[in-house]
Amino acid sequence: MSRAIGIDLGTTNSVVAVIDKDGAPRILTTEEGSTMTPSLVWFAPDGPRVGEAARAGLDQHPDLTLFAVKRLLGRRFDHPEIRKLARILPYELIESPNGDTWINLSAGRTVTPEEVCGMVLRDLRRLAERHFGEPVTRAVITIPAWYDAAQRQATKDAATIAGLTVLRLLSEPTAAALGHGAHRGANRRYLVCDLGGGTFDCAVVDVENGLFEVLATTGDPFLGGDDVDRVVVEHLIRDARATRGLDVTSDAIAVERLRLAAQKAKHELSSQPLAKLTVEELAQLPSGKAVEYTRPVRRDELELWSSPIIKRLDPPVAEALAKSGRRREDIDEVLLVGGMTRMPAVRRQIAASTGKDPSTIVNPEEVVAVGAALEVARLEGVIEGVLLVDVASHGIALSTNGGDCELVIAQSAVVPTRAYRVLMTRADDQARIEFDVWEGESTEPARNRHLGRYAAVELPAALAGDVLVLLEVTIDTDGAVRLSASELVSGERLTLEQIFHAGLTRAEVTKLARTYAEAP
Ligand code: AMP
């Protein structure tokens, strides 16, 4: 069998981990010597560039350099988060014919989020192939625990486009606990707080007798390190105006240089009290001479500026505890994940919110990928006695003839799970029965997410009510929804026709996978 890898497909950065011959997890480093690959694709004039190679595109072609695309995966164009992102992203979002979110790359060329994330995954696959010196075709990929069925399916489609078969989609907080070694210890309850560049995710994970279970998830999709960088830049712009008489507000290149310098200073201030922030060329004099901008920044200044942002970490933490039905005292260990948790003020805020000092994770950016690699080892039988239990993140409901939705699988059902419903013909010789599948718990279709409309076809000729269709609805381990139908009496399998569905069709995914398998 070919090699399998663990992938943390991140919004800002992605990480790939493997299990070494001695059974220990190892994070792979890129050609640039980094353990992280920026989740970036630049559609440059001479062809697409991925990862570090795409970074220059952020300056040169912001409309063609796609970052944070993970946030678009499996999301409807009319989703509130997409409406908000459409206003802030420098590239253009458009609505696909079936209501998904696509990206317009100018001149009528569009790409799907699945394709862009597929390109990032393909880059990670190649990194692993260089490491092993042999093909890699299988992966465990981590996803947020709250991902719905469409987002899970879109992630799997991205993997297929990258030439990878998904062994399992693993929830990020579970992966973090596993990467932290929770499978080796006693029974414990964890609170996992993951603060990255743009998002904050919080989850309560229970580990009991080797059984991992995510009890509750909360978060803020618009809270992260980027917000801290932004307020620092605002202060620097004001400072440059007050102390040097430089107004760079409308100079996009100068602002981007300030942002990079601010981020660098923020990183330094996590381990030292003072940083010297320098932009070699913030502006030019009429003579063409470059004007350098430099300013010392103290940690306490950074903390003062970012305190309104850091305070926003508290409500999701409190809500995660409330949703899981646990008190602060019930939490045994607080795990901090994501680069931003290196910032001391973030650690202090979470300690205050939880009443507990967070555990030290040496590399908070890598622990999720380590968990994914350990899951590969578990699936291959190298680690025994551990079971990762997932619950359905949303309920699944059915409706027929435009009627109300009827819940078939409840939210929080342990997956994999399966449920049955019987549909009946209403007319003589009715050849097909159409039905809609929804994700959500409401009886009102408009309050649920439409996953698809299907028809059981080629029904045998019979009187009304004499043909009974047994519909089987399955949520598999990955949280993906599968359907199959048979005639109840004869047990014969029926063909299900897809009339509408969210995301890409199987044929589109296969075609893209072929295109990328042949691409350089
Ligand atoms: P991640 O998505 O986990 O890679 O996190 C990315 C965020 O972590 C970005 O906002 C980074 O600026 C931030 N970050 C990375 N390293 C540090 C550090 N040493 N101190 C503070 N923030 C950091």
Side-chain angles (χ1 to χ4, degrees):
M1 228 188 304
S2 82
R3 300 282 191 160
I5 55 177
I7 296 179
D8 169 9
L9 176 66
T11 308
T12 319
N13 296 299
S14 296
V15 182
V16 51
V18 300
I19 297 292
D20 262 349
K21 279 200 195 75
D22 60 359
R26 173 209 283 258
I27 300 285
L28 300 187
T29 37
T30 63
E31 276 170 353
E32 294 85 7
S34 167
T35 55
M36 286 187 281
T37 294
S39 308
L40 263 185
V41 176
W42 172 21
F43 287 87
D46 55 353
R49 299 184 200 177
V50 181
E52 206 51 61
R55 216 185 268 286
L58 288 172
D59 254 357
Q60 297 178 31
H61 286 127
D63 54 333
L64 300 177
T65 309
L66 311 182
F67 63 90
V69 176
K70 179 184 174 184
R71 306 182 69 154
L72 315 177
L73 267 183
R75 280 278 200 225
R76 286 187 59 83
F77 189 68
D78 59 10
H79 190 280
E81 205 175 309
I82 297 293
R83 303 291 7 89
K84 192 164 171 184
L85 285 170
R87 286 196 298 275
I88 52 186
L89 290 175
Y91 52 87
E92 191 193 353
L93 305 184
I94 53 165
E95 183 170 12
S96 80
N98 64 351
D100 291 340
T101 306
W102 285 2
I103 300 147
N104 186 19
L105 289 178
S106 74
R109 165 127 201 253
T110 57
V111 279
T112 62
E114 289 90 329
E115 192 175 344
V116 178
C117 290
M119 292 165 87
V120 174
L121 289 172
R122 191 172 82 130
D123 199 61
L124 301 173
R125 174 168 71 85
R126 289 184 164 176
L127 174 63
E129 287 179 339
R130 283 196 295 277
H131 169 79
F132 286 125
E134 54 184 282
V136 170
T137 56
R138 299 172 306 135
V140 166
I141 301 178
T142 59
I143 50 164
W146 45 263
Y147 255 21
D148 66 20
Q151 291 169 307
R152 285 163 198 256
Q153 189 57 52
T155 308
K156 289 178 93 169
D157 291 344
T160 306
I161 292 168
L164 287 168
T165 302
V166 175
L167 294 175
R168 180 171 192 168
L169 295 176
L170 181 64
S171 92
E172 288 162 0
T174 307
L178 194 58
H180 181 59
H183 57 299
R184 286 195 297 265
N187 293 348
R188 273 177 113 65
R189 186 160 298 137
Y190 296 91
L191 179 76
V192 182
C193 297
D194 182 348
L195 187 64
T199 54
F200 178 48
D201 279 317
C202 225
V204 177
V205 181
D206 225 11
V207 182
E208 216 179 296
N209 304 325
L211 203 84
F212 283 58
E213 189 178 350
V214 178
L215 298 181
T217 65
T218 55
D220 184 335
F222 291 98
L223 175 59
D226 300 347
D227 300 291
V228 172
D229 302 347
R230 205 171 302 123
V231 289
V232 176
V233 168
E234 282 163 15
H235 278 89
L236 296 177
I237 289 177
R238 275 201 288 278
D239 179 72
R241 195 187 300 131
T243 61
R244 316 283 165 85
L246 291 174
D247 187 357
V248 297
T249 333
S250 50
D251 180 348
I253 293 179
V255 172
E256 175 60 15
R257 286 178 185 162
L258 281 176
R259 192 187 65 78
L260 288 174
Q263 197 177 55
K264 186 161 169 275
K266 176 185 76 176
H267 294 182
E268 288 170 13
L269 291 172
S270 289
S271 52
Q272 60 201 48
L274 187 72
K276 189 174 170 217
L277 179 146
T278 305
V279 177
E280 277 173 16
E281 186 180 340
L282 187 65
Q284 273 191 355
L285 292 175
S287 64
K289 192 164 169 277
V291 181
E292 189 191 73
Y293 172 76
T294 166
R295 182 194 194 282
V297 183
R298 296 189 314 274
R299 186 189 283 172
D300 61 317
E301 284 179 295
L302 173 71
E303 292 185 350
L304 183 69
W305 298 338
S306 50
S307 88
I309 298 164
I310 308 286
K311 284 206 181 83
R312 287 170 53 205
L313 293 166
D314 183 60
V317 171
E319 202 194 328
L321 291 174
K323 260 176 91 175
S324 70
R326 304 296 193 271
R327 291 162 309 164
R328 280 168 34 149
E329 307 76 71
D330 298 331
I331 299 296
D332 298 306
E333 213 174 325
V334 177
L335 302 182
L336 299 187
V337 179
M340 264 305 285
T341 60
R342 290 181 183 266
M343 187 171 172
V346 168
R347 300 181 68 88
R348 282 205 308 275
Q349 175 60 56
I350 291 178
S353 300
T354 57
K356 206 165 249 91
D357 272 337
S359 300
T360 301
I361 293 184
V362 184
N363 291 311
E365 301 91 349
E366 297 169 7
V367 68
V368 170
V370 169
L374 289 172
E375 172 63 357
V376 170
R378 192 187 72 84
L379 290 169
E380 296 188 335
V382 181
I383 299 176
E384 288 177 351
V386 180
L387 192 64
L388 309 180
V389 175
D390 253 334
V391 292
S393 55
H394 303 75
I396 298 295
L398 286 184
S399 71
T400 49
N401 299 308
D404 281 353
C405 294
E406 188 201 343
L407 198 64
V408 182
I409 295 176
Q411 182 181 29
S412 301
V414 171
V415 296
T417 184
R418 181 170 298 162
Y420 298 91
R421 281 293 177 277
V422 176
L423 309 175
M424 189 172 72
T425 53
R426 294 173 167 219
D428 293 349
D429 298 336
Q430 184 179 330
R432 53 194 278 136
I433 299 183
E434 288 189 8
F435 59 92
D436 291 281
V437 181
W438 308 84
E439 186 167 59
E441 287 72 44
S442 175
T443 52
E444 290 171 50
R447 301 180 64 146
N448 293 330
R449 163 142 201 204
H450 196 194
L451 289 180
R453 167 168 294 178
Y454 302 84
V457 297
E458 294 165 22
L459 305 182
L463 292 178
D466 271 5
V467 179
L468 299 175
V469 173
L470 179 70
L471 194 65
E472 183 183 303
V473 184
T474 309
I475 303 185
D476 65 23
T477 343
D478 297 328
V481 178
R482 275 185 293 124
L483 299 168
S484 70
S486 56
E487 212 203 312
L488 185 66
V489 182
S490 67
E492 238 164 90
R493 208 177 162 91
L494 293 166
T495 306
L496 278 180
E497 196 180 283
Q498 247 182 8
I499 300 166
F500 164 86
H501 69 98
L504 298 176
T505 62
R506 293 306 93 217
E508 284 167 331
V509 174
T510 311
K511 190 169 158 223
L512 281 167
R514 213 173 297 130
T515 310
Y516 279 97
E518 285 157 11

